[in-house]
Amino acid sequence: MAARGSAAPPKLAERLLAGRLGVHRGDELLADLAEEYVERVEHDGGVQAGLWYWGQALRPAVSDLGRELGEVRTVKVGSHRAIGVGPLTRLGPFWRDLRTARRRLVRSPGFATATAVTLALGIGATVAIYSLVDGVVLRPLPYPEPDRLVTLAHTAGGSINGTLGQAYGTHVLYRDGAGSLDGIAFFQTFSATLTGDGEPERVEAASVTHTFFDLLRVRAPGGRTFLAEEDRAGGPLVVVISHDLWQRRFGGDPGLVGGTIEINNLLREVVGVMPPSFELPLPETDVWFPQQVDFAAAGFGGFYLSGIGRLADGATMESAAAELQTIVDRVGRTFPEAGDFLAEVDLRATVTPLRDRVLGGIEHTLWLILGGVGLVLLIACANVANLLLVRGEARSRELSLRRALGAGRGHLLGDSVAESLCLAALGGAGGLLIAWLGVAWLGRLASEYVPRLDQVSVSVPAVLVVTGIALLSCVVFGALPAVRGATASVVTTEGGRGATADRGRTRTRNALVVTQVALALLLLVGAGLLARSYRALQAIDPGFEASGVLTFELQLPGARYPRRADAAETIEQLRDRLEALPGVEAAGTIACLPLRGCTWGNRNSIAREDAPAPPGELPPSAWVNTTSPGYFRAMGIPLVAGRAFEAADHRDSTGAVVIDEAIAERFWPGEDPLGKRLYPSQTINEDGWYTVVGVVGSTRAREIMEEPEGMIYLPQVGTDDQAWWTTHQTTMTVRTNGDPLALVGGVRAAVADIDPDLALARVSPMQVVLDRATARSELAMLLLGLASVMALVLGLVGVYGVIAYVVSHRRGEIGVRMALGATARDVGAMVLGQAGRIGVLGVAIGLVAAFGLTRLMRAMLYGVAPTDPLTFLAVAVFLIAVTVAAAYIPARRASRVDPVETLRAD
């Protein structure tokens, strides 16, 4: 008797069955039957188990086989033929189906690998992006009743024509008169310098009203938040710090609460430590100060505060906005000086979800990317369905024979479902690994411009839903051939190869491939539009030369530098030190660096001496910035006319002003602006007119996609009468003829020599600042491009698989055609023509869908229309070409068919 578990019994069983059944050895069905027989003999109690499985039609053959193997035992079957008590019987028939499916997939590594990889790509990509959307967009803010938290702002027309924040006056009116709001607060963000023990550190800070934390309903686990008496002018010097700063700087010392820390050269009492999840106003905020404002003396102007509120019970954002607008319309009664301003700008109150502020406009981009990878999942499912249908048809003979040998329909169905489950398990495991790696990669890729990334992890619901979709696709299309095979006629020979494929099955396969091509076109068009948009963004002239420039921010605490003149003198000393460093060509300062997104740049009404505003009208507004000598040269901003600032303009307040080309064209079109006089204020100071001494090139000040609005540059003078701006916080720009980062050590040493308590912040090459301006477009293009590549590859695999299968099943027809005179070229053209028809139909359907869906991308595009005909045409031609190319190998095989051998085989 052969040893159990050896290789001899399956091989011997295969040989004997081949003789009994009249088929060739090596047949997949024969190998399945032989292995199944030996397994049942060894585990289920002998030959009778094999007889029960194979049925009455093979009883003589099996009996002879059992005697030759020496495994015959007398077993009393009983009325149900339940034989043996082995582990397979105890675990049930479905376990046997899984074992059989595993063996079958091992013998078909190409099919198993292609299917599993296709599923893994679709599942992994979709789960990774959905996890990103779930953590960033869908997950509610970590505060009680987050849907009731709103942002309060204003829009304005006229000379301002933009978005405004809150003013002290509107805050008081809203606080006292808005019944639709269950609390209101405002805040400002800035930077502070943490000194004392250790190296000085620049930290992000916010000054908030005492209602800020109560409105969010967040308490400080360590200590408390601010009291009402601490939020008054002249109140005590207290701060609340973040959990991260508490751990990073102070080692989590519980005794810090109630103690003091030195910020901006002032000792302040730490009254509380916020929980780790608290990330407002910004995720990087480390210190909160009380506002300490005298609201009794609050005026109406200065709309630079950020306001938030909580909707009262029953209130909606629409009803709250309507109530606030009613209050705005009555502002003139409380602040008579605001009447002309309100009439000119048409101030409108706006109420929007706080979540929108936190997301910062990334939501639309993430949904678009999720839609793209969702299409990849659909393409993957269609590809898997095609693979399973082709494999099922290839096994039609086997299924028919199994049915004839006594296997019930349920067994055939269970066998196919078991194989689908094995494939889905492989694909799901691979997809989970890809999703985990993808989430980690996205966290590193987008950490600087996608908020809430610390809350992103692989989403378990996404894994279950996406894997369920893939599993359903596998089970349905894997079981379909079994259902058909259960009713098919018995085929135990190789006959019928020359028959053409069933038309219904061919249509199903073709429909799936057409779907893949159409979905791939959608992704390719979207990626193409983003690529053209990104190329247009890269071609934008920002107005400065970013390469070779190092930038960093510097803050001089008011407690240490109480006079603006002192701060200005220190900054001038530092500029001189930096220009003396080896390799430095120029150095300068600017209040608000282009594209840096600073929120404290000034947009002022601009009075012109040669064109005063008519009575009752406000003068036009423009952005105003302050800078030092050397800035334009350091940034590579060209001087168009006149001169740049000189040291005397800053030291002696000469009244010189430099404007850019956009302002010159806007205020003095066709005229020479040099010598013209203007004043950046809402009221004209007769003794404070500024004279235009130079014109420089325009820069993209805020957003790279925004056309320059114009900028007015004033000198960073050190006199205390310039009260509308401060020299205490500035950005340094240093141009070098080498690597900007190589300057960092020298810069730090220069700053430390002047004042060791000063801390550098946001140290970065200007090229990085410029790159970040296009980072979101680059992220969308990259991810959608990757999805497009996956879709294209999967689509080509689908086309190749279908055409190759059709060619293999039409060999007889092809042989007949060639015997009747068709040439190899005719046959190849026939096959390529079929692929071309599939491609054209898929492209046509995809173009119609893309024409409507790409309009959703309008906000993400620059310099290209969402229905750009060049992109649509290029993608359509490319996709048809690669579809036909995917059919080249099957066409080549078809053209080499030997008609004589084919006809003889049939």
Side-chain angles (χ1 to χ4, degrees), residues 49-71:
L51 294 177
W52 171 75
Y53 177 70
W54 279 337
Q56 298 296 328
L58 287 182
R59 184 182 293 276
V62 176
S63 298
D64 292 343
L65 176 63
R67 281 192 292 275
E68 292 196 43
L69 292 176
E71 288 287 349

Side-chain angles (χ1 to χ4, degrees), residues 594-780:
L595 303 180
R596 180 51 72 79
C598 57
T599 58
W600 41 278
N602 287 277
R603 186 183 179 99
N604 278 22
S605 294
I606 308 299
R608 293 166 49 193
E609 186 181 42
D610 60 334
E617 293 186 16
L618 294 178
S621 66
W623 290 101
V624 179
N625 220 330
T626 57
T627 185
S628 72
Y631 169 75
F632 299 122
R633 193 157 58 95
M635 286 290 289
I637 300 175
L639 180 64
V640 177
R643 64 173 178 85
F645 288 125
E646 299 172 349
D649 298 322
H650 302 260
R651 183 179 58 252
D652 302 330
S653 300
T654 61
V657 64
V658 174
I659 63 175
D660 68 4
E661 291 180 291
I663 290 293
E665 180 62 26
R666 179 180 166 195
F667 287 174
W668 298 284
E671 300 181 40
D672 182 4
L674 297 180
K676 304 291 186 181
R677 298 213 302 172
L678 54 81
Y679 190 80
S681 175
Q682 293 183 12
T683 59
I684 297 176
N685 183 344
E686 296 293 343
D687 298 326
W689 288 96
Y690 291 87
T691 302
V692 177
V693 298
V695 180
V696 297
S698 299
T699 61
R700 307 273 174 144
R702 294 188 302 169
E703 298 286 343
I704 193 68
M705 296 174 66
E706 291 182 358
E707 293 294 330
E709 296 184 55
M711 184 71 69
I712 296 175
Y713 297 95
L714 298 180
Q716 287 186 343
V717 295
T719 57
D720 287 335
D721 60 345
Q722 304 296 323
W724 64 273
W725 84 281
T726 175
T727 58
H728 289 84
Q729 184 163 319
T730 190
T731 298
M732 304 291 298
T733 59
V734 186
R735 175 169 291 279
T736 175
N737 53 20
D739 180 9
L741 291 177
L743 282 177
V744 174
V747 168
R748 291 189 186 279
V751 172
D753 285 345
I754 292 176
D755 188 342
D757 285 339
L758 296 181
L760 277 65
R762 303 180 81 173
V763 181
S764 173
M766 192 62 201
Q767 185 62 52
V768 174
V769 176
L770 180 59
D771 291 341
R772 287 173 181 167
T774 60
R776 287 189 177 180
S777 296
E778 185 177 6
L779 174 68

